[in-house]
Amino acid sequence: MKPPLFVRPLSEGERAAVRRGLRSADAFTLRRCQILHASTAGQRPARIAATLGCSSQAVRDAIHAFAADGLACLRAKSKAPHTPVAAWPRDRAEDLRAVLHQSPRNFGRPTSLWTLALAAQVCHERGWTTRALSGEAIRQVLVRLGVGWKRPSIG
């Protein structure tokens, strides 16, 4: 059986930062400080979790984060991916222009007018994108290409 997990002893500066965090308006910071404060008082993760209404794993994660990052663990990290993936492959931009210069009927569509959503669907079916993009994503590619796009007027 593993020994119980506790936070390492805090320096005076860290202890003061945790006390300040207990009055924080940010819920993430407040919760992390509550966990660290309870752990320094000798409470085990399961007891802290029961008191705070969170999972034992969340408590263990907070203790491990403090061990790895120190006081930086009191601020939430970005949830954005570390390596963003472009929705549209840049090498396919001219292919989009070529497709839009043809009739949608050439691609098995029952209309003769392109819409952004229809262009996105055709590009996905041709394997140019890994997922069906929104019309707005296609519009942004067209802006990059310098192509103006106006919705057809009804009337």
Side-chain angles (χ1 to χ4, degrees), residues 8 50 95 97-98 103 120 147:
R8 65 171 168 73
D95 294 335
R97 185 191 306 257
S103 171
V147 175

Side-chain angles (χ1 to χ4, degrees), residues 47-117:
R47 169 118 171 133
I48 297 170
T51 303
L52 297 178
C54 62
S55 68
S56 295
Q57 186 61 51
V59 174
R60 288 191 297 274
D61 289 345
I63 294 171
H64 287 298
F66 180 73
D69 302 332
L71 291 177
C73 80
L74 300 180
R75 290 183 306 279
K77 294 180 180 176
S78 171
K79 294 189 184 339
H82 296 292
T83 54
V85 178
W88 181 264
R90 290 200 181 262
D91 59 334
R92 290 289 186 184
E94 289 301 324
D95 294 335
L96 175 61
R97 185 191 306 257
V99 163
L100 294 178
H101 282 290
Q102 299 177 44
S103 171
R105 293 183 193 277
N106 294 348
F107 299 95
R109 300 298 187 250
T111 181
S112 61
L113 292 176
W114 282 108
T115 64
L116 293 171

Side-chain angles (χ1 to χ4, degrees), residues 3 23 25 36 43-45 65 68 74 80 110-111 120 126 130 143 147:
R23 295 183 307 275
L36 296 178
Q43 291 184 24
R44 293 178 179 219
L74 300 180
T111 181
R126 295 181 73 87
T130 57
V143 167
V147 175

Side-chain angles (χ1 to χ4, degrees), residues 7-19 40 66 70-71:
V7 72
R8 65 171 168 73
L10 303 178
S11 69
E12 271 311 308
E14 291 171 336
R15 192 176 306 276
V18 168
R19 270 190 249 116
T40 57
F66 180 73
L71 291 177

